[in-house]
Amino acid sequence: MNGLYTSDTIVALATATGAGAIGVIRLSGNEAIAIADTIFKAHHAKPLAEVATHTVHLGVIEADGQQIDECLATVFKGQRSYTGEPVVEFSCHGSSYIIAQVMKSCLAKGARLAEAGEFTKRAFLNGKMALSQAEAVADLIASDSEASHRVALQQMRGGFASEIETLRGELLNFASLIELELDFAEEDVAFADRDSFKALLSHIKQTITQLVASFSVGNVLKNGMPVAIVGKPNAGKSTLLNALLNEERAIVSDIAGTTRDTIEEVLHIGGIAFRFIDTAGIRETHDAIEAIGVQRAKEKIAKAQIVIFLYNQYDDTVADVVAFVKEHYREGVFFMLVHNKIDLYTEGVHTFDEQVRHALVGYNITLLTLSAKERVYLEELKQSLTNYAQQINKAAAGNTVVTNLRHYEALQQALTAVERVEEGLASGLSADLLAIDIRETLYYLGSITGAVSNDEVLGNIFSKFCIGK
């Protein structure tokens, strides 16, 4: 994995496009410093090839005898850079004209435009980081909440990659002994102690199982908590969404069935992004358009981590509320039953909700009262969401959490392979057949960190990065 990935020197704008105070142009490759010296003249008159690594120099960029800009050049030599190869970064004024001229000059001197994610791809291929760490770079850039930022930073620091490589290393040692037995098959020699191997497999299986289970938390931290706001038509779903956002995002009307499709907005609570989804009212309908909306509402319920079901004692019966819960309830989902429109009445609310509570004994639900229109008890609803967010954060604190779907799928495949090894060991399977499943386990674990990879997988991963990173 060490050694330069390519002889090409690449260049790209590393900051956002458009006019700004500063624009950083990044050159990386064997000829990065030589190309920079052809267009940059430091005020101290010493060429960049002669300066120390990790130094910054003030000077001017010239092209065709014309001064383009006065800027800073930061120099990284040898493998002591982000990409593991020589790098020069020009910090120019953020004029789109200046950026274009500097880029044009670099290209004219032999650089080529970088592909999406190519700087980070080179960092991986040059051994500067594991593949899972490289993917975390993209997650860090895309993070839009405290929680998503925290887990991306943890991944980028390499704790997850280190844990996977440790497991893989332990299994690889035993795999080597199993493979050695194949060379002495005729002599019936056992080099791998089966009891120790059994204990190792149990440890690996337990660790992978925990990592697979952590994905439900990690996915929420990375992508936000999907919250489906559901109920009958005119239950106050859009009013609640507007109240939570403190703006008139959804159309509110006394006419039942106003919302025909889902409306989604994000609100940050307790450091976690909550993706609130206002859905169409759930009811039997002969309106083709509304029926599509009802179906989409049910699909959102099935995928939600939190379900807020709005009802009231005049438009719903206890049986209606109970039936909804029994139809849609799933373990691990935070179910909130919210008695809305209490600004219209005061009597009977407590009695109604106690009947609901009694009918749903054994279900893990939270019952609240609310006036979405008048925003009465709105803070109590937010506090319930905050408490749930804190539970999620607590579950992730200090633990390795899987946030990447590719990693999750590889871990599932590795877990299946480990279980086959365990079964084979218990049944006295021959070393050659055990070795097949061990190799498969090693492959899937290695695919996470990049110990094993192919161009197609790498291309797919890094194509999702922004250009310049």
Side-chain angles (χ1 to χ4, degrees), residues 63-80:
D64 300 325
Q66 300 294 317
Q67 181 175 319
I68 297 174
D69 192 24
E70 184 177 49
C71 68
L72 296 173
T74 307
V75 180
F76 304 89
K77 293 189 172 182
Q79 291 189 316
R80 296 179 60 193

Side-chain angles (χ1 to χ4, degrees), residues 178-179 417 420-421 431-441:
I178 293 290
E179 297 279 358
R420 285 201 300 268
V421 177
D432 57 334
L433 295 178
L434 278 177
I436 295 172
D437 290 326
I438 294 172
R439 289 190 204 111
E440 189 171 348
T441 305

